[in-house]
Amino acid sequence: MTHTKVAPGKRPPAALAGGMPMPGWPERIGKAVFLTIICAFVVVPFIGVISTSLATPEEVTRAGGFVMLPTHGIDLGAYKSIFAGGTVTQALLVSCFITGVGTLLALLLTCTLGWALSRRGTVGNRKLLLLVLISLLFNPGLIPSYLVVQQFGLLDSLWAVIVPVCVSAFNVIVVRAYFVGLPDEIIDSARIDGASEWKLFWYIGLPLAKAVVAVIGLFYGVGYWNSFFNAMLYLNDSSQWPLQLVLRTYVVNGVEIGGQDLGVGSEALPPQTSIQMAILMISIVPILAVYPFIQRHFAKGVLTGAVKG
Amino acid sequence: MTDLDVARPPRATAGNDAGAPTKAKPTRRSLFTRLRRDYPVLLLAIPGLLIILAFQYYPLLGNVIAFQDYQPYLGIDQSLWVGIENFRVLFDGDPEFLNAVKNTLILTAIQTIIVFPAPIVVAIVLHSLLSNRLRQFVQSVIYLPHFMSWVIVVAVFQQVLGGTGMINNWLRTHGYDPINVIGNVEAFRALLTAQVLWKDTGWATILFLAVLSQIDRALYEASAVDGATRWRQTWHVTLPGLRPIIILLLILKLGDSLTVGFEQIILQQQAVGADVSEVLDTYVYNNGIIGGNWGVAAAVGLAKSAVALALVLAANKVAHRFGEEGVYRG
């Protein structure tokens, strides 16, 4: 194999990506700059948000709002005041409830349905699969969806945010594709040992699908944690608001958050920007916390669905 | 159903008896026996199916209010039927509606031209990296914004670009005039585009990278033997390799062409007004749920869904004609 562009003895051709010739210096520098810029675009705003939430009140006031790097030490006042009780704590609890209960319910229903659809040869299997697939092609529309939630009496209930989105047809297809790929021998031998369908699913199928379940769980979890529009649509009582709605009101719309909302005396209040950034941070942190554990499974989870489904 | 072999009795071999062919016996067991055999599986499927039926299929019936003068306190049963009255807004060219159509199409066009190719470029660059570690690091970083909600994205953009934000602070301390991006009608479309790019470019590379990793190395080696430069290889090997997935995604995008940035726009609509920001989805929301024109909103929603479905089906046909696989076969 002669690589015309490779200087002899520089690097064995086997190490080259996809048999491409060795890139020249201009290209490598260009790529380094390009990648640094796109990474900086992602990272820099987050650093700014963290910094502003942690900077001392004096520094925030002096900077006129946004602090890029706190040079005068760190102050946790903003976090103390948002956790002192009141609006933000309440919203945090609501968000945790929606996310926790929603994700568990969603995973259970999605995996059971995916498992059932993976058992080929059972009554109506193909028709049911078609039913799920067709639902991917259309969208029921905002107004009819609203009317259905209303009709089921779910308005102003957290279940309105949880239940309508707890089975995503796409995720069902992803899980099903994975279950279909499991070797029949395992399932058959377990059945010979007398395992019921539920036991097959719970002790054989689910543990083997751990990676896929983790990724789908992340998708559902993030979806619930981020639920904003459905909450806005279905929850009128502000005491039921999840974090995202609080974030919209006090950060995006810039409504002043006062001592009363936070449950603290208003004299001791840190600057608005610090409080806003602290609220923003607590809505970002849970995602950052689970992200490293699950992101290595992304490609696998996404691609099972995209390629086979 | 070819998977039923377990349940299938041995086939009678025809033609053994001279003369009368054996009458084809039903090869399946009766529905009842099969139901008895399979009910545990079906029980597992039921909860999930019920949710799909209740929240995907059942709402379709609710679209009848597009033909009604729907009053929430009367309900669907008692509201008056008005025929296609609600669709007048589509035919008569109601200016607000036309404005929403215009904005939707403009945003879709911008996104197809700018947002769609961006991840392809990024994926090609990432794929050409020699270091796996570096590639994985960059991937982890650029996937991240995808998991932020629109509220967070909009809030972050406000903090960076807003009046007291990062960029304006810098400009002010260095003696320049601050730039007003947030709430600026002229910059609104650019702002939306930047936000979409920031949020999802990285994530969208995942599919392209997967396809790139499947391109046969021999193609690169062969082209190298023929003296192709890296640039020529990208053009003649990499891009053709991506062709099927690009076409597939364009078809899917076409189906979504009447859907742009709903949450993103709802969050920022107040700041710039309806002129540039009203799209079909926000029109339905503002007219129906906020304005109480349920029938009209449902009519617009229904028309939108119908057009979207038709677009997907048509695009799929076109793709077949060009010899591509498309979204589904048949």
Side-chain angles (χ1 to χ4, degrees):
Chain A
M1 204 62 38
T2 45
H3 288 267
T4 44
K5 292 283 165 186
V6 183
K10 262 204 166 172
R11 209 189 252 239
L16 298 181
M20 278 194 178
M22 195 71 185
W25 281 109
E27 185 189 325
R28 298 175 88 174
I29 292 169
K31 278 196 297 208
V33 172
F34 177 74
L35 294 175
T36 312
I37 289 175
I38 57 174
C39 286
F41 263 123
V42 171
V43 174
V44 168
F46 286 125
I47 295 178
V49 170
I50 299 172
S51 304
T52 312
S53 74
L54 289 173
T56 57
E58 300 77 47
E59 191 168 7
V60 174
T61 318
R62 199 161 41 81
F66 203 78
V67 179
M68 197 49 225
L69 273 178
T71 47
H72 289 71
I74 280 169
D75 182 85
L76 293 174
Y79 289 92
K80 276 188 193 131
S81 50
I82 60 173
F83 285 121
T87 308
V88 180
T89 318
Q90 173 71 22
L92 188 61
L93 291 177
V94 171
S95 280
C96 289
F97 177 80
I98 291 177
T99 309
V101 174
T103 308
L104 286 180
L105 184 71
L107 277 180
L108 185 68
L109 296 192
T110 304
C111 292
T112 47
L113 180 55
W115 173 261
L117 292 177
S118 77
R119 317 293 293 124
R120 283 167 297 184
T122 54
V123 184
N125 181 282
R126 282 172 192 219
K127 284 178 193 125
L128 296 182
L129 183 59
L130 206 61
L131 190 81
V132 174
L133 282 174
I134 289 176
S135 76
L136 283 172
L137 268 184
F138 60 83
N139 178 337
L142 172 65
I143 304 286
S145 300
Y146 181 87
L147 294 178
V148 164
V149 169
Q150 190 182 39
Q151 197 189 346
F152 290 161
L154 291 175
L155 283 190
D156 287 322
S157 144
L158 292 183
W159 295 107
V161 181
I162 295 177
V163 177
V165 291
C166 74
V167 179
S168 134
F170 183 78
N171 287 344
V172 171
I173 303 298
V174 172
V175 192
R176 176 191 171 270
Y178 192 82
F179 285 142
V180 166
L182 293 181
D184 291 337
E185 290 80 10
I186 303 180
I187 295 160
D188 289 342
S189 65
R191 175 167 288 150
I192 291 166
D193 290 344
S196 66
E197 195 62 34
W198 173 256
K199 279 192 172 157
L200 279 180
F201 164 70
W202 194 253
Y203 292 109
I204 311 275
L206 214 50
L208 285 175
K210 238 186 277 167
V212 175
V213 172
V215 174
I216 286 178
L218 175 78
F219 290 159
Y220 278 125
V222 168
Y224 279 120
W225 183 258
N226 285 341
S227 44
F228 153 70
F229 184 68
N230 282 348
M232 177 174 111
L233 207 53
Y234 301 132
L235 305 174
N236 292 312
D237 179 3
S238 67
S239 71
Q240 287 186 322
W241 279 2
L243 216 44
Q244 303 292 331
L245 278 181
V246 168
L247 200 60
R248 184 209 42 174
T249 311
Y250 296 110
V251 181
V252 175
N253 291 355
V255 174
E256 287 259 316
I257 188 162
Q260 226 174 6
D261 303 314
L262 296 171
V264 294
S266 50
E267 308 84 40
L269 226 52
Q272 282 293 322
T273 328
S274 301
I275 295 180
Q276 289 180 339
M277 291 310 97
I279 301 177
L280 193 50
M281 275 314 291
I282 57 166
S283 60
I284 293 175
V285 161
I287 294 175
L288 293 182
V290 291
Y291 186 73
F293 297 103
I294 305 193
Q295 54 112 346
R296 63 203 158 100
H297 299 303
F298 280 163
K300 206 183 199 175
V302 174
L303 296 176
T304 353
V307 176
K308 286 190 189 164
Chain B
M1 302 236 167
T2 49
D3 304 315
L4 276 172
D5 28 27
V6 192
R8 187 169 292 153
R11 209 176 276 272
T13 37
N16 278 354
D17 308 3
T22 38
K23 200 179 174 189
K25 287 254 171 68
T27 51
R28 289 180 182 177
R29 298 182 186 180
S30 76
L31 184 64
F32 182 72
T33 0
R34 293 169 70 219
L35 272 177
R36 260 190 56 170
R37 186 193 63 191
D38 294 336
Y39 82 91
V41 177
L42 293 173
L43 278 183
L44 281 182
I46 283 172
L49 283 176
L50 280 181
I51 297 286
I52 289 188
L53 287 176
F55 294 101
Q56 285 284 326
Y57 284 92
Y58 179 56
L60 294 180
L61 300 177
N63 276 312
V64 296
I65 72 161
F67 305 95
Q68 284 187 332
D69 177 23
Y70 179 77
Q71 301 295 334
Y73 53 89
L74 290 177
I76 293 180
D77 304 338
Q78 291 173 45
S79 291
L80 282 179
W81 293 91
V82 293
I84 60 161
E85 188 63 32
N86 291 324
F87 289 86
R88 280 282 154 77
V89 69
L90 307 179
F91 305 128
D92 291 357
D94 168 53
E96 278 178 47
F97 171 72
L98 285 183
N99 182 43
V101 174
K102 188 188 89 183
N103 284 329
T104 307
L105 294 179
I106 291 177
L107 285 174
T108 302
I110 295 178
Q111 298 204 352
T112 313
I113 296 167
I114 297 174
V115 179
F116 185 78
I120 302 179
V121 175
V122 177
I124 290 177
V125 172
L126 281 177
H127 181 67
S128 73
L129 290 181
L130 295 181
S131 156
N132 275 332
R133 267 206 170 150
L134 180 62
R135 192 175 64 226
Q136 271 156 18
F137 171 77
V138 175
Q139 279 176 275
S140 309
V141 171
I142 63 178
Y143 289 168
L144 186 59
H146 172 76
F147 295 95
M148 303 295 151
S149 70
W150 274 115
V151 189
I152 295 176
V153 175
V154 170
V156 167
F157 265 75
Q158 283 188 353
Q159 291 309 315
V160 174
L161 299 171
T164 59
M166 190 191 293
I167 289 177
N168 280 331
N169 273 352
W170 187 88
L171 287 174
R172 238 176 275 128
T173 48
H174 290 76
Y176 300 100
D177 287 332
I179 319 167
N180 173 23
V181 181
I182 306 289
N184 182 345
V185 175
E186 276 140 45
F188 185 67
R189 286 183 184 129
L191 178 68
L192 290 186
T193 312
Q195 288 167 344
V196 179
L197 277 174
W198 189 76
K199 189 174 193 287
D200 279 329
T201 302
W203 185 247
T205 59
I206 215 169
L207 263 184
F208 295 112
L209 280 170
V211 175
L212 285 173
S213 69
Q214 281 165 5
I215 294 180
D216 192 352
R217 278 161 172 260
L219 290 175
Y220 288 108
E221 281 159 13
S223 64
V225 171
D226 291 343
T229 60
R230 286 175 60 80
W231 180 247
R232 295 278 304 245
Q233 287 191 338
T234 307
W235 188 253
H236 290 292
V237 180
T238 310
L239 279 178
L242 286 175
R243 203 176 103 120
I245 187 82
I246 290 177
I247 289 178
L248 178 88
L249 291 179
L250 277 176
I251 294 173
L252 291 176
K253 180 122 187 70
L254 191 65
D256 275 344
S257 57
L258 298 182
T259 308
V260 269
F262 183 36
E263 286 195 4
Q264 186 190 6
I265 292 173
I266 283 281
L267 279 162
Q268 303 177 86
Q269 197 160 39
Q270 268 187 341
V272 290
D275 261 1
V276 285
S277 71
E278 189 87 310
V279 292
L280 281 170
D281 282 333
T282 57
Y283 180 89
V284 171
Y285 172 74
N286 288 330
N287 246 296
I289 286 169
I290 304 293
N293 290 321
W294 295 88
V296 174
V300 173
L302 182 59
K304 178 182 166 267
S305 307
V307 171
L309 187 61
L311 283 175
V312 176
L313 298 180
N316 203 48
K317 272 255 159 61
V318 173
H320 283 308
R321 192 143 300 172
F322 281 102
E324 296 293 339
E325 228 181 273
V327 183
Y328 55 86
R329 281 151 293 241

